Amino acid sequence: MEQLRNMREMELEYKNYFLSTGFQTTDRALCVEELQEKLAQGYRHLFLSDFFEALAEDDFFQQQQDISAIQHFRYMPATWHEHDFFELACVLSGSFTNFIGSQRLTLYPGDVFILTPHAKHAVCAYADDAVMVNLLIRSSTFDQHFFKILPDNGLLYDFFVKTLYDSSDAPYLLFKTGNDTALSSYVRQIFYEFRRNKRYKNTMLSSLLAIFFVTLLRNHEKDVIVPSMKTAAMNENVIFILQYMQKHYTTLTLSHLAEFFNYSERQMQRIITAVTGLSFSDNMKKMRMNHAAELLEKTNLTVQKIAEMNGYYDAASFRHLFKKFYNRTPQQYRDEKRTGAD
């Protein structure tokens, strides 16, 4: 950690610029051209030649490289940019101002900020003790490590996919992990491993990232801030709501769910639609159909039994709904899966 706290030469230059001019960008971010203009008088050498408004994977990552780890420059003015890869901002000490779209967030120690590709953003910090490591990850690598952890066809899987890929207003996830020393340790290990040129470097980075994600979701799945939710109470409850729905989907009703979490049915419906993109009833149907399909493929249970296990006590009604959902009858689905496995 001491190595990360030490000011680098470029940061000392930026700090000198900050102290000399008093210029800082905590209220708004600059475009790249504005930054160049600000630095034109005597500080032109501070402009990073490889810093562009749009950064591409193929231009940024070396061949065979999927993960990079860099430390954010302290005292550098916040400047708008975007890139076509994922970025994880991990704050180890101090605080950072993060601009994303029309929002301005303050990130604190323990915050893990996951930003989606093509999201316009800017970050700044004007203090010696501000330390943040950015993990830059190819999109394919992120999908492989992050989403692989989550159960397929689960509500949490759908929730994270929708938040990260279908949210144009706030395309990010913010985990408030607090003083989780395990996570901060993995971040530092990734950072130091990236700076070394040892054998199996990429394999080690990939393994460390996988462990980081498992630890993040295992310890802090419920500590995620949902940008589409407007109240703190909704933010605090949303993961619990999704988990409760996942556990009780065969018998759960909207009225029971709303009563259990002390919301009106209208509020609950709005929350569920906001975070999943589907209504309560459509979510229930999707989970039941997915579970039924899994049982048809992997067991020899009768269609009647599978229907009952998913809350349908009329087999004919279940067959009709299943065919409407999968465009084939339960028996046709089972036969296709069994034939394909042979």
Side-chain angles (χ1 to χ4, degrees):
M1 185 66 179
E2 192 61 33
Q3 182 178 343
L4 289 165
R5 291 186 186 279
N6 292 335
M7 296 284 287
R8 293 161 289 173
E9 183 178 349
M10 181 69 82
E11 289 178 311
L12 292 172
E13 292 273 8
Y14 267 118
K15 183 178 181 180
N16 180 52
Y17 167 76
F18 167 72
L19 294 175
S20 299
T21 64
F23 178 76
Q24 55 180 308
T25 52
T26 54
D27 294 325
R28 72 178 188 92
L30 307 176
C31 66
V32 173
E33 291 76 13
E34 285 181 292
L35 177 63
Q36 287 179 304
E37 291 177 7
K38 292 290 183 182
L39 300 175
Q41 300 299 320
Y43 295 93
R44 190 182 299 274
H45 63 288
L46 292 181
F47 184 78
L48 304 176
S49 59
D50 58 352
F51 185 79
F52 304 102
E53 186 172 335
L55 302 171
E57 271 191 3
D58 292 340
D59 295 332
F60 195 87
F61 292 92
Q62 297 178 8
Q63 191 173 12
Q64 305 301 319
Q65 184 187 77
D66 296 320
I67 302 164
S68 296
I70 60 175
Q71 184 179 355
H72 184 81
F73 278 112
R74 286 161 282 196
Y75 294 99
M76 178 180 176
T79 307
W80 291 114
H81 64 286
E82 62 180 85
H83 36 67
D84 61 1
F85 45 85
F86 276 87
E87 178 178 325
L88 272 70
C90 307
V91 181
L92 300 180
S93 67
S95 63
F96 288 78
T97 301
N98 195 321
F99 300 89
I100 176 167
S102 60
Q103 298 184 39
R104 185 180 68 174
L105 305 173
T106 302
L107 304 181
Y108 298 100
D111 287 357
V112 176
F113 185 80
I114 302 179
L115 188 67
T116 62
H118 306 295
K120 191 175 181 180
H121 63 288
V123 185
C124 63
Y126 299 96
D128 292 4
D129 68 344
V131 176
M132 182 171 74
V133 171
N134 293 327
L135 306 182
L136 312 178
I137 309 167
R138 288 187 187 271
S139 295
S140 57
T141 303
F142 180 89
D143 290 348
Q144 175 187 349
H145 286 303
F146 186 82
F147 291 113
K148 186 178 180 181
I149 301 168
L150 299 165
D152 290 340
N153 299 319
L155 272 183
L156 287 178
Y157 181 95
D158 293 342
F159 160 65
F160 284 121
V161 168
K162 182 182 184 300
T163 302
L164 289 172
Y165 285 110
D166 298 335
S167 177
S168 57
D169 295 331
Y172 68 83
L173 290 172
L174 174 57
F175 289 86
K176 309 292 286 187
T177 74
N179 185 31
D180 190 325
T181 56
L183 278 176
S184 59
S185 175
Y186 290 133
V187 170
R188 293 195 300 272
Q189 288 182 62
I190 293 171
F191 178 78
Y192 295 130
E193 181 66 30
F194 177 74
R195 292 168 63 89
R196 303 185 185 107
N197 286 313
K198 290 191 172 184
R199 296 173 63 202
Y200 312 116
K201 172 180 176 177
N202 290 332
T203 302
M204 179 62 82
L205 286 172
S206 181
S207 299
L208 287 170
L209 182 65
I211 296 171
F212 173 85
F213 277 141
V214 169
T215 305
L216 178 67
L217 291 175
R218 172 188 285 173
N219 295 350
H220 303 286
E221 189 177 64
K222 301 178 183 67
D223 300 322
V224 64
I225 300 297
V226 186
S228 59
M229 303 275 60
K230 295 183 179 180
T231 70
M234 289 181 181
N235 264 320
E236 292 171 0
N237 286 334
V238 66
I239 298 298
F240 291 104
I241 291 170
L242 297 179
Q243 289 178 332
Y244 194 86
M245 290 171 64
Q246 188 76 55
K247 185 176 181 180
H248 302 284
Y249 66 88
T250 58
T251 59
L252 188 64
T253 64
L254 179 61
S255 60
H256 173 80
L257 183 66
E259 182 180 359
F260 187 86
F261 286 96
N262 198 31
Y263 290 116
S264 69
E265 290 187 29
R266 184 177 180 182
Q267 283 178 308
M268 183 57 70
Q269 185 74 270
R270 189 164 61 246
I271 293 169
I272 293 168
T273 303
V275 300
T276 68
L278 297 174
S279 67
F280 172 82
S281 60
D282 285 342
N283 272 298
M284 293 298 102
K285 184 189 301 180
K286 181 179 179 180
M287 285 188 285
R288 290 168 181 169
M289 292 297 108
N290 285 337
H291 186 224
E294 183 180 4
L295 292 174
L296 286 165
E297 180 181 357
K298 297 180 180 180
T299 75
N300 292 316
L301 295 170
T302 65
V303 172
Q304 175 72 46
K305 183 63 176 177
I306 291 173
E308 292 175 0
M309 291 175 65
N310 286 278
Y312 299 102
Y313 295 95
D314 180 353
S317 176
F318 167 73
R319 288 188 177 93
H320 174 75
L321 291 171
F322 189 92
K323 185 176 181 180
K324 190 174 181 181
F325 193 86
Y326 281 104
N327 201 31
R328 52 183 60 78
T329 67
Q331 190 59 51
Q332 288 172 335
Y333 184 92
R334 172 173 273 170
D335 291 343
E336 286 182 14
K337 292 297 180 180
R338 297 287 172 85
T339 303
D342 292 339

